[in-house]
């Protein structure tokens, strides 16, 4: 019997000037472990007149994980952080009870052609930490655990698995693992996984129980401990997941919580202008979306 319980295809989603590939949430699978939102951004080429300008917007109840393959983003937030995110680095921002941030093309890249390609991920917080003070942590690419087994390269983006631990300060049991292979290989790593598990194919493909799967798909495992497959040559995949929460999570715009009341309060606070301003980016903001009837 196949261990693949569900296949999720990328769906186009409009986030302003960009169309992204939305993978989570999905109507049949709202979360994989604590992972509640996953967008594949790009690859897209921007000319000198086109910029990434995601204006200041709020979050509660989650941590955001930005992981770029190409391009750069200038991150600013209400804690006063201003840092350029480059390919391979992890930008980990924990909203807790509330934070506002913006994501823009860095000034020194605004008058040239550039590429943008990466993953935008939300990780829900455990219920007891949903109202924690906001935090920010940035890990450069070279600080992430990386190792090679044969022709397969591993990198642990976040969490703890396979005997390695990422320095990213996560708040629940989870893992996000990058696997790259230059040759066709059989992999069996399930005995060291736990909780729920998803496998995202960025490029190349995998073979499992006589079936072949290609890019822009998430394969959701019935049982993460049975995670065995063949990775094709020149492939990049991400295995992510972890322990699921006992409570349901709700999403409204950029807000995530186990409590609809907390989401409603955050929504009203944003509409009323009650969140702090982002230093250096005070003039603009994203209004709460009003649904057209």
């Amino acid at each position: 019997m196949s261990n693949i319980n569900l296949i999720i295809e990328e769906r186009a989603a409009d986030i302003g000037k960009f169309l992204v590939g939305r993978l989570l949430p999905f109507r049949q699978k709202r979360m994989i472990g604590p992972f509640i939102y996953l967008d594949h951004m790009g690859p897209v080429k921007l000319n000198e007149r086109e910029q990434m300008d995601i204006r200041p917007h709020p979050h509660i109840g989650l941590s955001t994980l930005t992981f770029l393959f190409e391009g750069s983003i200038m991150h600013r937030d209400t804690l006063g952080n201003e840092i350029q995110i480059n390919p391979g680095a992890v930008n980990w921002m924990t909203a807790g009870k509330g934070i506002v941030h913006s994501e823009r093309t860095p000034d020194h890249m605004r008058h040239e052609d550039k590429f943008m390609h990466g993953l935008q991920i939300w990780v829900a917080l455990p219920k007891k930490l949903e109202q924690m003070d906001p935090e920010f942590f940035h890990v450069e690419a070279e600080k992430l655990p990386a190792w090679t087994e044969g022709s397969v390269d591993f990198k642990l983006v976040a969490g703890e698995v396979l005997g390695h631990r990422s320095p990213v300060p996560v708040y629940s049991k989870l893992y996000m693992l990058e696997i790259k292979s230059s040759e066709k290989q059989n992999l069996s790593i399930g005995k060291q996984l736990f909780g729920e598990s998803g496998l995202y194919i960025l490029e190349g493909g995998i073979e499992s129980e006589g079936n072949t799967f290609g890019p822009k798909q998430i394969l959701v495992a019935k049982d993460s401990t049975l995670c065995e497959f063949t990775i094709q040559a020149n492939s990049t995949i991400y295995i992510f997941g972890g322990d699921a929460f006992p409570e349901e999570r709700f999403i409204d715009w950029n807000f995530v919580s186990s409590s609809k009341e907390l989401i409603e309060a955050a929504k009203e606070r944003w509409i009323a202008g009650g969140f702090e301003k982002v230093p250096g980016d005070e003039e603009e903001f994203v209004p709460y979306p009003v649904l057209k009837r």
Side-chain angles (χ1 to χ4, degrees):
M1 181 177 293
S2 172
N3 187 43
I4 297 171
N5 190 46
L6 180 66
I7 301 170
I8 302 175
E9 303 270 0
E10 284 189 18
R11 293 100 57 209
D14 190 346
I15 61 167
K17 292 184 179 180
F18 289 89
L19 282 176
V20 299
R22 176 80 26 94
L23 288 148
L24 286 178
F26 184 63
R27 62 184 180 277
Q28 293 171 259
K29 186 65 177 171
R30 307 297 294 175
M31 300 175 68
I32 297 176
F35 290 80
I36 195 168
Y37 178 100
L38 195 158
D39 269 358
H40 177 207
M41 179 176 56
V44 61
K45 182 178 182 180
L46 303 175
N47 63 38
E48 61 183 13
R49 298 177 303 278
E50 297 173 313
Q51 317 298 339
M52 178 178 183
D53 277 315
I54 301 178
R55 295 167 291 163
H57 57 281
H59 292 286
I60 67 164
L62 55 82
S63 297
T64 62
L65 192 165
T66 304
F67 191 72
L68 297 180
F69 311 128
E70 292 182 275
S72 295
I73 296 173
M74 181 57 70
H75 164 98
R76 296 183 179 90
D77 63 42
T78 44
L79 297 178
N81 297 294
E82 180 174 335
I83 192 164
Q84 181 170 312
I85 312 169
N86 294 317
V90 173
N91 208 68
W92 179 263
M93 182 186 74
T94 298
K97 62 186 179 183
I99 198 168
V100 181
H101 73 135
S102 63
E103 300 157 286
R104 299 183 184 271
T105 298
D107 288 344
H108 66 90
M109 300 177 66
R110 298 181 80 88
H111 302 292
E112 60 187 44
D113 293 349
K114 54 264 177 190
F115 284 90
M116 186 59 63
H117 191 198
L119 297 175
Q120 290 275 17
I121 297 167
W122 295 356
V123 180
L125 286 167
K127 185 175 181 179
K128 65 181 181 181
L129 295 176
E130 285 184 325
Q131 288 289 283
M132 67 180 284
D133 290 334
E135 294 182 350
F136 175 83
F137 203 81
H138 185 87
V139 181
E140 296 294 350
E142 62 272 14
K143 298 293 181 63
L144 296 176
W147 65 100
T148 300
E149 296 179 12
S151 61
V152 182
D153 294 324
F154 296 84
K155 180 181 292 183
L156 186 56
V157 178
E160 186 172 2
V161 76
L162 303 184
H164 296 268
R165 183 177 184 178
S166 168
V168 176
V170 302
Y171 295 102
S172 59
K173 288 191 66 178
L174 62 86
Y175 47 86
M176 180 178 172
L177 181 68
E178 177 187 85
I179 302 176
K180 294 187 175 187
S181 183
S182 58
E183 299 177 6
K184 188 173 182 177
Q185 294 280 324
N186 294 322
L187 293 179
S188 178
I189 60 175
K191 295 295 187 289
Q192 298 184 66
L193 300 181
F194 55 89
E196 298 181 330
S197 185
L199 188 157
Y200 173 60
I201 305 169
L202 178 68
E203 57 187 357
I206 73 158
E207 300 167 19
S208 177
E209 297 165 324
N211 299 304
T212 300
F213 304 93
K216 301 184 178 182
Q217 294 181 319
I218 290 179
L219 311 180
V220 182
K222 291 179 182 176
D223 184 344
S224 64
T225 64
L226 301 178
C227 193
E228 300 180 5
F229 57 91
T230 299
I231 186 170
Q232 295 178 341
N234 303 314
S235 295
T236 301
I237 65 173
Y238 292 85
I239 296 179
F240 65 96
D243 289 348
F245 296 137
E247 319 88 4
E248 183 180 2
R249 289 299 182 277
F250 305 102
I251 299 180
D252 185 328
W253 190 41
N254 297 315
F255 305 129
V256 170
S257 181
S258 61
S259 165
K260 291 183 178 180
E261 290 74 21
L262 284 176
I263 288 178
E264 185 65 23
K267 182 182 79 172
E268 295 302 324
R269 180 156 57 112
W270 180 250
I271 292 172
F275 279 80
E276 294 181 41
K277 301 286 187 181
V278 175
D281 205 346
E282 300 95 342
E283 301 303 317
E284 297 183 301
F285 66 93
V286 180
Y288 181 83
V290 177
L291 296 177
K292 296 181 181 180
R293 297 185 180 275

